[in-house]
Every structure is written in C-alpha cells, then in structure tokens.
Amino acid sequence: MTDKPTLSGWTCPLPLRNYPTIVMGHGSGGRMMSDLIHNLFEPLLGNDLLAQMGDSTVLELPPGGDGAPCRLAFTTDSFVISPLIFPGGDIGELAVYGTVNDLAMSGARPLYLSAGFILEEGLPLGTLGQIVTSFGEACRAAGVQLVAGDTKVVDKGHGDGLFINTSGIGLIPPGVNIAPGNARPGDAVLVSGTMGDHGITIMSVREGLDFFAPVESDTAPLNGLVEAMLAVTREIHCLRDATRGGLGAVLNELAAASSVGIVFEESRVPVRPTVQAACEMLGLDPLYVANEGKLVAIVPELQAEAVLEAMRTHPYGRDAARIGTVTAEHPGLVVAKTGIGATRVVDLPAGELLPRIC
C-alpha cells in the first residue's frame, strides 16, 4: 500500500473546486476564478449592478437639466505583473490601458482614472520613474486624465517591487447597449487581431526562452478602435478584451451570459507564426494565452462586414478577422471546427497557464 499522497507544494491547475487555500489558479480568468467569484464573493457582496458581470459596470444617473439620460461606466483593476518591464510595455502602461479597455468594452468613452501605487522598500527610483513616465504617456495616448491617486510603501519582501490599482470612469454614448448577455443566434463573432502575443512575451522573458524570433506584448488602448466600430453601427451586442484566459475564456463567458452556443473555425483565428511555434513547443493552446490589446466582438450579421472593414482600417484592428457565429444550438457551449474537419468543445481553462501576466 502506498503512502497517502500530499498536496503540499502543488500550485495549479488543480481540479479541486473546494481547495482549502487560495492558489494562483484562482486569478486565472478560468474556471477556478469563476468558481471563487460565484461561490464566495457573489453570495456575500452581490447586487444587481455587480450582476452585470461586464468588464465595467453601467451606472444609470438621473437625467440632467435637459432631461437627457446619463449613463456612466465604472471599473477597477489591479496589476501585479512580473516582470515590471517587458518587451512592448511595462506595468505603468498596462495599468492605464487595462482600465481604459475595460471601460471601452461597454462602449464608453474613457474620461478619468485614479491610481494607487503600492511600492516595495528597495524598488529603484529609476525603475519607478520609468514606469510613472510610461503611465503618463499612456494616459495621453488614451485621452484620459488621472484625477486621484494614492501611494503606499510596504516592507521589503512584501510587495514584489510594485503593484498598481487603477479605477476608471467613462461616458456611454446614447443608443449604445453593449453587455455580455446580448449575443443572439445568427450574430457574427469577430476578433481584432492576433491571439497570444502578450502571454508568450511574458513567458519568454520570465523563463529566459528564445523562440528565434522577437515576440512583443500587444498592450494597447482599444477605445479608439471601439469608437471606429460604433461609428459604423450602435448595434454592437457584446465586446470583451481577451486578457486572462484568452479567447477561449471570453467566448465561454459570453456564451454562458447570453445562453447561446458559439461555433468558430480554428483556422480563422489569427496567431503569429512565432507565437504558434512557441505554443507548440511548450504544449500550450493559443486560444487560452493572454492578450492585452485585442478584443472579441459579437455583432448582428447584417453589420458584420462593415464593422470588420472599419476595424481593419484602425491601427489596432488591422489583423481583424471573422472567426465564427452565434448559434441557438448547445447553449453555453463553445465549439471549434478544426483544420481536419473535426469539432471539439473549447471549455473554460481549468487553472492558470501562466500567473501574474497583468
């Protein structure tokens, strides 16, 4: 008889929903994180506004003096990426663009940010200066203002250099109603560009891997791209940036929220050759690798080609592609058609492919 197995030292993914302590997989954007939110946070803190489950929450304010309704989008996010500086960006730029993108995914025009900087004793001032400079440049690039801030310092060994929390407010234009539960059978599924660039970049730096070709994070503000799409039609049903959990997690979240099925063709999902090769070498599925400058859009069939054309004329959407369709069949499930004519279910990732990527 063998000794009783021990879980000591295990990290993730770990197929246990009732795990007694927090592990990195609880922040993955996949099934473990979903279970944590729905089984702990939601019962204790839930309300009608949080139940929107969007990247940002839409707040209806009383009409102004002209009687016109006012709708705001509000969001908050924390950034704990390691390393702090990486090819294509750093934590400062990432913190601005991550919050701006969460606002843009409700169709809002981002206006104001707040930022909390948690600094670890021993962080070089030169590093902090580079990151704050990048933060300011990113605000100007995205057209937002930093209007509130806070700084705290923690003991050496308790902060891993620097963490940043940002919150943001944006204004939603009249006639825009974008939400995770709005997908309808027959809608087209679009992506704005290549998948997996950010996750593979962070992995290459962290693990010292050389893929014989440069890889760079795709971190970028997507509010301008969304404005270009809304200029074509206000009837965009769903938007979501494909960050933690990648495209696979986003499609599952939208399918579940709208009680619809999604079918897509794997060969239509744009992936850079270097990223594809890195995923094959590491045994990863690019559908689950994180992005920081790409979005998924679900739009009515009649507007799909016009929206796609508008995306391709924008610098952050030039590799946009239509990858699939929303269906009434198999509600809540995402199905991929493979290159050999087979089909497979694309489920939520169980745990964490690579922790602390944002």
Side-chain angles (χ1 to χ4, degrees), residues 23-34:
V23 298
M24 297 303 289
H26 285 119
S28 66
R31 188 169 301 283
M32 292 181 72
M33 182 173 166
S34 177

Side-chain angles (χ1 to χ4, degrees), residues 7 14-23 26 32 35-36 39:
L7 299 180
L14 196 63
L16 297 177
R17 294 191 173 191
N18 297 320
Y19 202 85
T21 62
I22 291 295
V23 298
H26 285 119
M32 292 181 72
D35 287 345
L36 182 68
N39 294 324

Side-chain angles (χ1 to χ4, degrees), residues 151-189:
T151 302
K152 295 288 192 301
V153 178
V154 298
D155 295 336
K156 189 174 182 61
H158 291 78
D160 208 7
L162 169 64
F163 299 145
I164 301 176
N165 174 267
T166 49
S167 297
I169 292 175
L171 185 63
I172 301 175
V176 173
N177 179 25
I178 299 171
N182 285 354
R184 297 290 179 266
D187 285 352
V189 181

Side-chain angles (χ1 to χ4, degrees), residues 7 61 138 192 194 201 221 232 276 327:
L7 299 180
L61 301 184
S192 65
T194 54
T201 299
V232 174
Q276 183 68 50
T327 176

Side-chain angles (χ1 to χ4, degrees), residues 284-299:
L284 301 176
D285 187 338
L287 297 179
Y288 294 124
V289 180
N291 315 272
E292 287 295 338
K294 305 291 166 44
L295 63 79
V296 179
I298 293 181
V299 301

Side-chain angles (χ1 to χ4, degrees), residues 4 15 28 58 69 81 85 90 133 147 172 179 189 198 204 210 242 337 341:
K4 184 178 180 181
S28 66
V58 177
I81 190 170
I85 300 171
D90 60 44
T133 298
V147 296
I172 301 175
V189 181
H198 179 73
S204 69
D210 184 358
K337 294 183 177 179

